[in-house]
Amino acid sequence: TRTLRASLMRKLLALLGLLFALTPARAQEPPPEAVQAEFRALITRQIEALKTGNAAEAFAVASPAFRARYGTPERLLAGFQKDYAPIVKPRSFNFEDVGYASGKPVQKMFVVGPDGKAALAYFSMEKTPNGGWRIGALVVTPIEGRGI
């Protein structure tokens, strides 16, 4: 009975561990307003650089991992022009709330691209070793049926 009890206890602990792992974490508080302002400034800086074709400036606000994905400023600019057209030459954009994904802050943005189609852009932000922030990743999803 002792081994049966130990076996049941191990199963119970495993089940509790699984339940704990599957329980959603408590919502994280948004970053302080000063940090959110830094996110918006970095993203705006990148958009302005992309609009004018300033590949070096657009590359400068990207995280080391994001830079490594493209390799050079010119390849980053070409990649954005191909994959993220609404961000390169937006007709308009508006910052929305900051959420979290995989523990990293994500700045959400509503954007209307050059073709008049609406999209949501999600900029994942990464903290640098010196305490600043850089853009770590970008996902753009079209909003079907919305545009101007």
Side-chain angles (χ1 to χ4, degrees):
T1 63
R2 193 174 233 181
T3 57
L4 180 60
R5 210 177 305 164
S7 175
L8 287 174
M9 187 59 100
R10 280 193 301 276
K11 288 178 183 177
L12 179 62
L13 288 173
L15 179 61
L16 288 173
L18 179 62
L19 287 174
F20 180 74
L22 295 176
T23 302
R26 207 168 26 137
Q28 288 182 293
E29 292 293 319
E33 181 53 41
V35 172
Q36 292 183 50
E38 188 176 351
F39 295 168
R40 294 188 299 267
L42 280 170
I43 294 165
T44 301
R45 188 171 142 199
Q46 187 171 59
I47 290 170
E48 291 304 316
L50 291 165
K51 277 186 187 176
T52 61
N54 186 341
E57 182 68 14
F59 198 72
V61 298
S63 71
F66 205 21
R67 289 182 206 163
R69 178 176 170 203
Y70 290 98
T72 66
E74 294 74 23
R75 286 180 49 199
L76 179 130
L77 181 59
F80 267 65
Q81 290 169 335
K82 178 179 176 273
D83 300 326
Y84 305 114
I87 303 301
V88 176
K89 298 225 183 223
R91 284 191 186 180
S92 64
F93 61 90
N94 185 52
F95 290 104
E96 296 190 1
D97 58 343
V98 174
Y100 287 87
S102 300
K104 293 182 180 178
V106 176
Q107 174 66 63
K108 182 178 174 184
M109 183 177 82
F110 175 81
V111 60
V112 176
D115 58 2
K117 293 181 180 174
L120 288 174
Y122 300 90
F123 293 84
S124 176
M125 307 304 290
E126 290 186 15
K127 197 157 186 89
T128 63
N130 69 3
W133 292 91
R134 291 288 178 259
I135 298 168
L138 172 61
V139 174
V140 177
T141 57
I143 303 173
E144 298 302 321
R146 282 197 60 193
I148 57 169

